[in-house]
Amino acid sequence: EPEPFRPRGSNERELTVPELFVYPHTNEPIAFSGVHAELHGRLVRSLSVLVLPFLALPLSLGRRRAQRSYGFIIGITILIGYNQLIKTTEGIVDDGKMSALLGLWLPYAVFTIGSFALFFRSAWKVPDPTHGRHFDRIVEALDHVFRGRGKAKAGS
């Protein structure tokens, strides 16, 4: 039989979630703050997946009589920002400079409440067809400027 590469468990990222729960009661060499941050980070990321449909539905609905829908761009921006915030605060919690409640669970709570608020707003509010008209004009002007430059360069 081949010999194992090395013993597993020298890093908190190698542990499973049940091992992270019981880790503080063992005599292993990993710092408690690292295990604590990893456990809470995994729980927050796992629970965030359950909230995603409540964010995706209102952002996927297009406006009536609108040429464009910006929900996809807004959704991607929110998810990237949320992911970066969780990664950054997990590192701060790992260093012991912030509690997991403030660094990881507060952003999760804001993300969840915001997603549910958008969902319930889109479920019971009648859409305003004039909403977003100014933003459409700005995008059309930018599109005209950039397409005009492309035609000018192609014609040169």
Side-chain angles (χ1 to χ4, degrees), residues 22-43:
V22 298
Y23 191 82
H25 305 293
T26 63
N27 294 326
E28 299 294 326
I30 305 173
F32 175 74
S33 62
V35 173
H36 188 68
E38 183 70 23
L39 173 64
H40 288 279
R42 285 190 198 179
L43 292 175

Side-chain angles (χ1 to χ4, degrees), residues 119-149:
F119 177 77
F120 288 117
R121 181 176 167 259
S122 68
W124 281 290
K125 184 180 178 201
V126 176
D128 181 11
T130 62
H131 184 67
R133 188 174 0 159
H134 302 294
F135 191 66
D136 282 339
R137 288 182 186 158
I138 293 169
V139 170
E140 287 172 7
L142 289 172
D143 185 45
H144 179 68
V145 167
F146 288 120
R147 287 183 190 247
R149 283 186 180 174

Side-chain angles (χ1 to χ4, degrees), residues 10 14 27 35 41 43 48 50 60 62 72 74 83-84 94 98 101 113 118 122 128 142-143 149:
S10 62
E14 296 176 351
N27 294 326
V35 173
L43 292 175
S48 296
L50 300 175
S60 67
F72 182 74
I74 292 168
N83 184 46
Q84 291 302 317
D94 187 12
M98 183 184 293
L101 185 64
I113 291 169
L118 277 175
S122 68
D128 181 11
L142 289 172
D143 185 45
R149 283 186 180 174

Side-chain angles (χ1 to χ4, degrees), residues 56-102:
L57 184 79
L59 293 177
S60 67
L61 297 175
R63 295 177 292 146
R64 292 184 183 183
R65 298 182 185 155
Q67 295 177 354
R68 296 179 175 94
S69 177
Y70 305 104
F72 182 74
I73 300 297
I74 292 168
I76 292 294
T77 305
I78 289 171
L79 289 178
I80 290 173
Y82 176 69
N83 184 46
Q84 291 302 317
L85 179 66
I86 294 298
K87 281 185 176 183
T88 302
T89 55
E90 187 177 358
I92 295 170
V93 171
D94 187 12
D95 293 340
K97 296 179 181 176
M98 183 184 293
S99 72
L101 185 64
L102 180 64

